[in-house]
Amino acid sequence: MVAFRSMRLPLLLLLLNATFGSAHRWFNWQYEVSCESDTFIAPADEKGVADFLKKEFPKQSHIKVVGNGHGFGNLTTCTNKGSTNKTSHIVSLTNLKKLEINKDMTVTVGAGWEVYDLVNELKEHNLSFNYLGAMRVQNIVGAISTGTHGTGQNITNMATQVVSLRVADARGEIRTIDAHKNAEEMKAFRINLGALGLITEITLKVQPTHFLKKTTKVLNATADYTKLYTELADLYKKHDRMTVWGPHFNWDAKAEDWVIEPTFYASWWEPTNYTGVRNCTLNYCANGCGDCIKDYVCYDETSDAVSCPPQGICSSQFYAEIEHFFPMEHFVDAAVNYTKYQQAQTPKMKGFENEKMIFQFRALGGDDSYMSPANTYNLSSENSGVFAVLEIDWMQKVNHWDTLYNNQQFAYDFQDEFGSVYNARSHWNKMSPNNPKHTLAVFPKLPEFLKIQERQDPNCQFANDFLVNQLGIERCRPALNL
């Protein structure tokens, strides 16, 4: 969804604390998730990262790397100061700004780059990423490490573009993991959830920049959800790279119920030989903002055609969100039942400051990263390897904490209801509930991932409550006093 404020403010607050205070409070983008560490550390370079880790390893200090706070859950929450007898550190790698453009159509970048800045830098060299998510506000390593993705049945998540990376383990030892020399390990490190060490730099595939044609089409909504989602499934058969923004529901405050809007829209992207005016970013509706329910066509350089730059971010209101991945073969049945379940749970939402609810759908090619929500390890031979991605956003008419917390808690219920039914996996950074049994079922390579996690972090210094409870890292409970 597009309602994001600047990610720079939380980092600014941390920098101010680093200058003026002894304890350091971290916040995510909408300030409902926070933690307090003893210190804030921003190493000057990779050697500084290694030296810091070597010093802290004998102390078994708690260490959590933070980027731009672009998430809803507790994935990047630090261990709170005073919750154990060990020192808690927040680490920012913002100073690591290496950039090398290589002859083999790859770029090597330091962990300090933000996606927005990196995209613009690549444009100067007529290069772009093969795939981008819908937003550009993330730190590049944070986006990759959590499975950020765009849309396309022949497109995979951003992490699959990584061909090598450098990682510092808890001892401060730095290794290069290469997709050719360390192929199996790379499957663990691409989407590493911050559990395997501090990624100091990554090398990614890029491509010559090119134009895409974006078509947006108004669609008619209906409360006959089987008909509605069957029509969307037919659209996905015609268009490889498509996002559906809808159906939309408005909150009727008098009836205390959701009312479906009569229309919504879909957008799809196609290759084109167009070379004229770049105009997708001139119309912020092209990025999901404004009065978007209208037919139109625009053309732009690939990054600006598929991804929303900060100028196109039109709202900073609180909202709760889920994003679930399930095999495309379940699309109609799952979409119908998620929608019906949402409607049946409406009584839980009465008395709160609701305004709008939007369903969004994407498609994503499967991959072999151990912890990717689109991993194909437990799919049957009958599955295509393509995943449907269903997102639900609950937005508020005012920024109201009780409404936010109510809807976020409500978001967890969907995984319990549909996880095993549809082989559904939750986005790691979007209200993913703690259920280690289900995690193991949908991430069959979890045991292998945890073996590497123990090697990289023997004292559980990089772990936090979320990782321990999500992944079932029982050996780390004593270290965190859980």
Side-chain angles (χ1 to χ4, degrees):
M1 188 51 197
V2 296
F4 285 89
R5 67 186 70 190
S6 170
M7 299 297 109
R8 299 178 187 273
L9 182 55
L11 179 58
L12 176 60
L13 293 174
L14 287 175
L15 292 172
L16 290 173
N17 280 335
T19 303
F20 299 110
S22 57
H24 306 278
R25 174 64 59 178
W26 174 86
F27 299 89
N28 74 334
W29 74 275
Q30 63 180 2
Y31 304 104
E32 93 282 12
V33 177
S34 71
C35 63
E36 187 175 58
S37 68
D38 291 282
T39 69
F40 171 78
I41 306 294
D45 50 27
E46 186 181 76
K47 182 179 183 300
V49 172
D51 290 345
F52 165 72
L53 293 172
K54 288 175 182 177
K55 182 182 71 173
E56 297 303 319
F57 182 70
K59 306 175 187 177
Q60 300 185 19
S61 303
H62 300 292
I63 298 166
K64 183 53 63 178
V65 176
V66 297
N68 286 342
H70 179 260
F72 295 82
N74 295 311
L75 182 59
T76 52
T77 307
C78 63
T79 299
N80 273 306
K81 175 183 178 181
S83 63
T84 73
N85 59 1
K86 303 168 187 174
T87 302
S88 176
H89 301 285
I90 288 174
V91 178
S92 170
L93 301 181
T94 189
N95 292 323
L96 278 63
K97 289 289 180 66
K98 176 180 179 179
L99 174 63
E100 292 182 359
I101 297 174
N102 308 312
K103 294 181 180 179
D104 61 350
M105 292 305 292
T106 64
V107 295
T108 301
V109 299
W113 280 94
E114 296 180 12
V115 175
Y116 173 71
D117 294 331
L118 188 53
V119 165
N120 287 337
E121 185 69 26
L122 290 178
K123 282 184 190 178
E124 296 295 318
H125 299 275
N126 294 315
L127 296 172
S128 64
F129 289 117
N130 296 336
Y131 326 122
L132 274 176
M135 309 297 297
R136 299 189 215 165
V137 293
Q138 310 98 320
N139 168 272
I140 183 64
V141 171
I144 286 168
S145 298
T146 55
T148 296
H149 63 93
T151 186
Q153 297 173 63
N154 292 304
I155 289 176
T156 47
N157 64 55
M158 287 180 65
T160 60
Q161 298 171 103
V162 177
V163 296
S164 70
L165 56 84
R166 287 176 62 79
V167 58
D169 67 15
R171 300 175 181 84
E173 299 298 324
I174 296 176
R175 290 183 60 211
T176 297
I177 309 294
D178 183 271
H180 300 292
K181 299 176 182 177
N182 318 101
E184 198 62 30
E185 274 191 292
M186 180 60 82
K187 296 175 184 178
F189 278 92
R190 280 190 172 120
I191 298 179
N192 58 79
L193 309 179
L196 304 185
L198 276 63
I199 310 296
T200 60
E201 71 176 43
I202 52 177
T203 300
L204 307 103
K205 299 175 186 175
V206 291
Q207 62 185 2
T209 192
H210 60 279
F211 275 76
L212 290 175
K213 175 185 177 182
K214 179 178 181 179
T215 302
T216 295
K217 182 73 174 176
V218 175
L219 305 175
N220 294 318
T222 173
D224 182 345
Y225 299 131
T226 299
K227 179 177 184 293
L228 188 156
Y229 292 124
T230 299
E231 290 175 353
L232 293 187
D234 289 340
L235 272 179
Y236 273 108
K237 293 175 183 177
K238 297 177 182 178
H239 304 292
D240 167 57
R241 196 169 185 176
M242 184 174 78
T243 294
V244 179
W245 281 282
H248 298 185
F249 295 81
N250 292 315
W251 182 252
D252 184 329
K254 185 175 181 180
E256 291 194 290
D257 200 359
W258 293 106
V259 179
I260 193 169
E261 292 186 8
T263 56
F264 60 106
Y265 64 104
S267 298
W268 54 85
W269 293 262
E270 302 167 289
T272 179
N273 57 7
Y274 176 88
T275 57
V277 176
R278 300 180 178 188
N279 60 354
C280 285
T281 54
L282 300 179
N283 172 11
Y284 292 150
C285 181
N287 295 317
C289 291
D291 181 17
C292 301
I293 304 179
K294 57 186 177 184
D295 294 345
Y296 65 90
V297 172
C298 66
Y299 300 85
D300 221 320
E301 177 272 330
T302 178
S303 299
D304 289 338
V306 303
S307 178
C308 178
Q311 302 98 299
I313 299 173
C314 53
S315 175
S316 60
Q317 69 195 98
F318 287 176
Y319 70 96
E321 179 177 299
I322 63 168
E323 186 173 16
H324 289 184
F325 302 69
F326 49 83
M328 196 70 176
E329 289 76 12
H330 296 314
F331 180 87
V332 174
D333 190 51
V336 168
N337 286 319
Y338 270 75
T339 308
K340 288 182 175 179
Y341 182 74
Q342 158 62 47
Q343 299 296 68
Q345 303 303 307
T346 298
K348 294 182 179 180
M349 309 184 81
K350 292 184 177 181
F352 292 97
E353 298 290 340
N354 302 301
E355 180 182 38
K356 187 179 286 290
M357 174 176 61
I358 298 178
F359 283 67
Q360 295 186 45
F361 296 92
R362 300 178 181 89
L364 190 66
D367 66 81
D368 62 359
S369 298
Y370 286 178
M371 304 310 293
S372 169
N375 81 79
T376 59
Y377 289 110
N378 74 346
L379 298 188
S380 71
S381 59
E382 299 175 354
N383 292 122
S384 63
V386 175
F387 286 80
V389 186
L390 185 158
E391 179 180 314
I392 307 176
D393 303 294
W394 295 275
M395 289 170 283
Q396 308 173 199
K397 62 183 179 181
V398 296
N399 285 348
H400 184 256
W401 291 108
D402 288 345
T403 301
L404 178 64
Y405 294 141
N406 178 73
N407 293 349
Q408 286 187 335
Q409 189 61 43
F410 172 58
Y412 291 129
D413 296 345
F414 286 82
Q415 185 73 73
D416 293 336
E417 186 73 15
F418 298 117
S420 59
V421 176
Y422 296 120
N423 194 6
R425 308 91 182 273
S426 177
H427 191 295
W428 289 109
N429 225 4
K430 294 182 180 179
M431 308 315 297
S432 180
N434 294 326
N435 188 335
K437 184 177 179 180
H438 181 68
T439 301
L440 179 59
V442 296
F443 298 95
K445 292 292 186 177
L446 176 61
E448 288 88 339
F449 182 84
L450 292 183
K451 287 179 183 177
I452 296 174
Q453 190 267 338
E454 184 170 6
R455 184 195 75 201
Q456 293 288 109
D457 186 19
N459 298 327
C460 302
Q461 293 172 261
F462 305 140
N464 65 3
D465 296 18
F466 178 90
L467 290 170
V468 170
N469 291 322
Q470 276 277 334
L471 307 183
I473 315 177
E474 297 303 317
R475 70 178 187 87
C476 289
R477 289 190 180 278
L480 297 174
N481 284 350
L482 297 179

